[in-house]
Amino acid sequence: EPEVTQTPSHQVTQMGQEVILRCVPISNHLYFYWYRQILGQKVEFLVSFYNNEISEKSEIFDDQFSVERPDGSNFTLKIRSTKLEDSAMYFCASSDPGRTYGYTFGSGTRLTVV
Amino acid sequence: QKEVEQNSGPLSVPEGAIASLNCTYSDRVSQSFFWYRQYSGKSPELIMSIYSNGDKEDGRFTAQLNKASQYVSLLIRDSQPSDSATYLCAVKVSTASKLTFGTGTRLQVTL
């Protein structure tokens, strides 16, 4: 069963620091996504990425955030100048839009900002 | 604001019973509907998808969709303690669009 791989599984960072969360989507998938889930809250969409550009983003995804596909396999989320309220689980997902099924989610990165 | 609504629960059912989970959505153009299971501290895991009105069965799970009423449900037959988790309803308006999630319903299956 193909998997979406995320690293690290847990990251602790000081407020104001920059973090990069990494994801390796399923190899033949074309759409990539980042979601976040603050503890006890719902899963929230951040951004979708297709053909090396952002295809959709939420109001959460402001100038503090950026995404990149630096090579053929990795997909990264950068959070600049982290704030306490950025503490959350961050999930990467990928999908093949040619098939009508839901996304495959990675296991997540728990980001703790102290 | 396009919403997906779920009762947060917890919904408590005895082992072997049928668990019924419900979800309503506000965006009439929604095309695809999904149920995910999420264990505490883990990522969402897809268990069912449904695109057409009616019922779709997969093992112990049955998804039901009524687009006119903007309503999706999930039935879990012969509930097991391992089914205890939060069940997330999610919708999207097109094949490649974002998923919009509900807050989830926490299911507890008691022995």
Side-chain angles (χ1 to χ4, degrees):
Chain A
E1 184 82 27
E3 288 186 344
V4 175
T5 304
Q6 289 187 245
T7 55
S9 58
H10 191 187
Q11 172 120 23
V12 180
T13 189
Q14 291 205 327
M15 192 168 51
Q17 296 297 304
E18 175 182 287
V19 295
I20 297 176
L21 311 183
R22 303 182 189 279
C23 170
V24 179
I26 293 173
S27 61
N28 63 343
H29 283 186
L30 300 177
Y31 279 78
F32 315 115
Y33 309 86
W34 284 102
Y35 285 76
R36 79 173 185 188
Q37 187 176 30
I38 296 170
L39 186 64
Q41 298 187 24
K42 66 180 178 180
V43 178
E44 300 176 290
F45 169 75
L46 293 178
V47 65
S48 59
F49 192 85
Y50 171 72
N51 200 25
N52 285 320
E53 60 183 25
I54 291 173
S55 52
E56 188 175 3
K57 61 182 181 179
S58 72
E59 61 275 10
I60 301 170
F61 194 89
D62 59 19
D63 291 343
Q64 185 193 6
F65 295 89
S66 62
V67 289
E68 191 177 40
R69 189 157 163 80
D71 54 42
S73 60
N74 291 285
F75 179 50
T76 62
L77 175 69
K78 181 187 292 185
I79 309 174
R80 287 179 283 274
S81 189
T82 50
K83 300 174 282 197
L84 295 177
E85 53 264 39
D86 294 327
S87 295
M89 281 288 284
Y90 287 81
F91 295 112
C92 175
S94 67
S95 73
D96 175 358
R99 302 179 64 182
T100 53
Y101 52 58
Y103 309 163
T104 302
F105 282 85
S107 56
T109 293
R110 179 171 299 284
L111 176 66
T112 303
V113 182
V114 297
Chain B
Q1 179 81 347
K2 308 303 182 184
E3 299 286 346
V4 178
E5 301 286 345
Q6 295 181 256
N7 188 320
S8 62
L11 172 66
S12 185
V13 299
E15 184 178 5
I18 295 174
S20 177
L21 305 160
N22 304 313
C23 170
T24 58
Y25 59 95
S26 63
D27 191 346
R28 286 196 165 272
V29 302
S30 298
Q31 294 292 319
S32 308
F33 308 87
F34 305 90
W35 284 98
Y36 283 83
R37 178 174 61 199
Q38 187 177 33
Y39 293 110
S40 181
K42 302 296 185 183
S43 61
E45 174 193 6
L46 179 66
I47 53 173
M48 287 288 290
S49 59
I50 187 166
Y51 312 103
S52 304
N53 282 328
D55 295 0
K56 179 181 177 183
E57 186 175 318
D58 184 0
R60 295 187 297 113
F61 299 99
T62 298
Q64 299 173 316
L65 173 61
N66 183 326
K67 289 187 178 181
S69 300
Q70 295 177 241
Y71 177 89
V72 192
S73 66
L74 179 70
L75 300 177
I76 306 175
R77 288 180 298 281
D78 188 24
S79 296
Q80 301 297 308
S82 58
D83 294 327
S84 297
T86 297
Y87 288 80
L88 309 177
C89 175
V91 305
K92 59 179 178 176
V93 299
S94 66
T95 308
S97 70
K98 66 181 182 184
L99 279 173
T100 300
F101 284 88
T103 53
T105 297
R106 189 158 63 94
L107 173 66
Q108 294 177 336
V109 181
T110 57
L111 296 172

